[in-house]
Amino acid sequence: MNKHDLAIRLAAFQWLSDQVKVHGDVLPRPLLQKGFNYEGERVPLVAPQGIFKPRLLELPLSIATTPKGPYHDTFGTDGLLAYKYRGSDQDHPDNSGLRRTMTLKLPLVYLHGIVPGKYLALWPVYVVGDDSAELTFRIAVDDAKYLARPAEGDSSEDSINTRRAYIIATIRVRLHQRSFREKVIAAYRSQCSLCRLRHEALLDAAHIIPDSSPEGEPKVTNGIALCKLHHAAFDSFIIGVAPDYKVHVRRDVLDETDGPVLKYGLQKLQGSRLFLPQSEKQWPNRDALEWRFERFKTAA
Ligand SMILES: [Zn+2]
């Protein structure tokens, strides 16, 4: 085993954790392709194939999925991720490499494709099972803090399984939220549907029917891309959107006098039309808008 193996894996985890601080936990593919420097050599984290081994390592460092399948198919009832072999040859170098990380208990990075070109990065993950009949590996996701101080964690089998079940439950919620956000923002071509602001860092996917309600499904048609200001104004019923996609500003706010943000950021929106996705199938659901607009009228 390459003596740098563990050091490179830990450097990858540190680099990822730095990137997440800057970009949030959904990372763009070009960033992952570029990777980081280890003793003067570039270590990318992703390549066109799903199982990826950088040149500096003997065994794979990351596994990636594409965004096509519904997320809930990814994790089995055992709380483990089912990861398909590369092709059908179980002895393909990528497959045997991944199998060796299982024997050696080496930590890996899992990149879950949310929308094309964007990944939720999870680490450390471990290959814990190999089902050659199904051509599938079983992957467990763990908590990074147990990697740093394994001695402090309770390492009994029960405790590990409880911890992993909890982690999977929180990951499911994150996948849900991140995938809703990315899909809505992509549908609106990364613009606020009220003011057309294009700064992705300032954009949110607002729920029309809140996700706390049973009807508040994480579908694009229950979402609108809004900038931070307009998201807050929409949530607090300062702005309402009628089922015909016309924008309404609350009466008392229209009557106020203040500086340019009030004037151009809010009052000028009165009577404008929502900027909509290109595909009509992604337009906000009119029943959901109506449900919401009734509440806006009550607030006004
Ligand atoms: Zn806006």
Side-chain angles (χ1 to χ4, degrees), residues 79-270:
L80 298 176
L81 172 78
Y83 193 83
K84 282 274 172 210
Y85 285 5
R86 176 169 185 178
S88 53
D89 172 11
Q90 60 169 319
D91 294 321
H92 183 284
D94 283 356
N95 298 329
S96 43
L98 209 50
R99 199 168 292 120
R100 274 199 72 207
T101 70
M102 174 169 80
T103 319
L104 298 168
K105 297 188 166 64
L106 294 177
L108 300 148
V109 176
Y110 170 54
L111 300 166
H112 182 96
I114 299 246
V115 290
K118 291 198 172 177
Y119 299 84
L120 180 75
L122 300 169
W123 71 90
V125 305
Y126 297 87
V127 180
V128 294
D130 177 15
D131 184 346
S132 55
E134 294 286 322
L135 305 175
T136 300
F137 291 107
R138 300 274 163 207
I139 313 286
V141 185
D142 214 330
D143 190 329
K145 66 176 185 261
Y146 289 93
L147 183 75
R149 296 184 296 276
E152 286 177 27
D154 178 350
S155 57
S156 71
E157 196 80 352
D158 270 1
S159 151
I160 291 173
N161 289 338
T162 311
R163 188 171 86 223
R164 286 179 177 164
Y166 172 76
I167 292 166
I168 289 299
T170 63
I171 289 170
R172 282 208 171 103
V173 173
R174 268 162 78 197
L175 284 178
H176 232 106
Q177 291 170 341
R178 304 309 186 271
S179 114
F180 176 69
R181 179 184 193 274
E182 296 302 328
K183 283 177 184 160
V184 169
I185 290 180
Y188 288 80
R189 285 158 279 156
S190 302
Q191 295 177 64
C192 171
S193 60
L194 292 178
C195 69
R196 303 242 183 161
L197 186 76
R198 288 170 186 273
H199 275 275
E200 235 183 88
L202 298 177
L203 294 180
D204 288 335
H207 285 83
I208 299 170
I209 300 182
D211 57 356
S212 51
S213 304
E215 305 90 347
E217 292 174 278
K219 288 185 189 161
V220 171
T221 52
N222 187 40
I224 313 180
L226 292 174
C227 70
K228 300 281 179 191
L229 172 67
H230 292 135
H231 187 186
F234 183 71
D235 278 356
S236 56
F237 300 108
I238 287 175
I239 283 173
V241 179
D244 63 357
Y245 305 118
K246 275 264 178 62
V247 180
H248 296 249
V249 179
R250 209 170 66 205
R251 189 71 250 168
D252 61 302
V253 177
L254 284 175
D255 293 339
E256 283 172 25
T257 314
D258 194 15
V261 173
L262 176 77
K263 191 171 172 189
Y264 298 105
L266 297 174
Q267 293 171 334
K268 283 265 184 185
L269 295 173
Q270 172 70 12

Side-chain angles (χ1 to χ4, degrees), residues 2 8 40-44 52-59:
N2 177 337
I8 294 171
E41 260 213 68
R42 198 165 67 83
V43 183
F52 175 61
K53 180 196 88 64
R55 209 187 58 81
L56 277 187
L57 289 178
E58 285 167 34
L59 295 174

